Structure formats: C-alpha cells, structure tokens
Amino acid sequence: MSEEIDELDAYFENKREPTEGEAVKMEHMMMEKISVSPERRKLLRIVGIFGKTEKQLKDESGLNDFFFKFHMDFLLKEGFLKLEDGMYRLTASGISMHDSVC
C-alpha cells in the first residue's frame, strides 16, 4: 500500500526562504502599498519619531474604528510599526518609509 502524501507536509516541504531578489521585490511591494495610501502615510507621520498612544493616533488621524484597525493591522503585520509599552513606534523600516513618503 502506498503512503498518502499529507498536503500540509507537502506545503512545508516545498516552502523555502525567498531569494534576495524576491525579498527585495516583496519589500518594494509593501512600500508601494503604504506610499499610495494617504491614510497609512498619515499614520506614519503622526507616530513620528516620538511615538503615540492608540487614543492619540485615533484622535489625530480622524479615522473611524474600522479603518484605523485595518491600516494599523497592516502597518504592524508588515513591520513598519511596533507596539511598546502602550505606545506605537516606528521600526527601522517604518523610519525609512517615514523619511521617504512623509
């Protein structure tokens, strides 16, 4: 009897680290997604170099709860912002993006 291939095992077996070129391309795609969104640029600008609390960001951005969460989740997931001690701060990538588009 032949052994069945588990789809999950096959997926992880074929998963590999991206090449340097692929990594750069993915980074550029993320940067484009931020630069074309006025809301994301605004959030990066508001956080700035000193950081802001969630309340400060919501108040200053003027975004409703849905769009605030949507854009913040993207910026956090993609590594442009981080949450430290209740303050949102720019990561190294976030600082680079801030300097380029804000």
Side-chain angles (χ1 to χ4, degrees):
M1 192 187 305
S2 66
E3 188 176 317
E4 288 188 39
I5 297 174
D6 183 290
E7 290 179 18
L8 189 57
D9 288 337
Y11 169 78
F12 283 116
E13 188 175 297
N14 290 329
K15 190 171 176 156
R16 61 177 172 70
E17 291 293 317
T19 65
E20 185 177 346
E22 291 169 335
V24 168
K25 184 177 179 180
M26 289 181 347
E27 181 181 354
H28 288 176
M29 288 171 53
M30 288 304 113
M31 292 174 82
E32 179 184 14
K33 286 183 179 185
I34 292 171
S35 65
V36 299
S37 169
E39 293 83 7
R40 291 179 186 150
R41 289 193 316 265
K42 184 177 190 177
L43 287 167
L44 289 178
R45 188 172 47 252
I46 293 169
V47 170
I49 59 171
F50 299 111
K52 297 281 181 163
T53 65
E54 183 173 323
K55 181 175 179 359
Q56 290 172 317
L57 278 172
K58 280 184 177 179
D59 291 346
E60 292 180 39
S61 71
L63 295 172
N64 67 31
D65 289 340
F66 174 82
F67 284 112
F68 178 81
K69 181 173 177 9
F70 176 78
H71 293 299
M72 290 300 289
D73 285 349
F74 180 87
L75 292 169
L76 289 164
K77 179 181 168 273
E78 297 304 329
F80 292 95
L81 291 179
K82 60 185 173 184
L83 182 59
E84 288 182 337
D85 301 323
M87 296 283 286
Y88 287 97
R89 301 191 186 282
L90 297 172
T91 62
S93 297
I95 292 169
S96 174
M97 179 57 71
H98 180 274
D99 292 345
S100 324
V101 298
C102 293

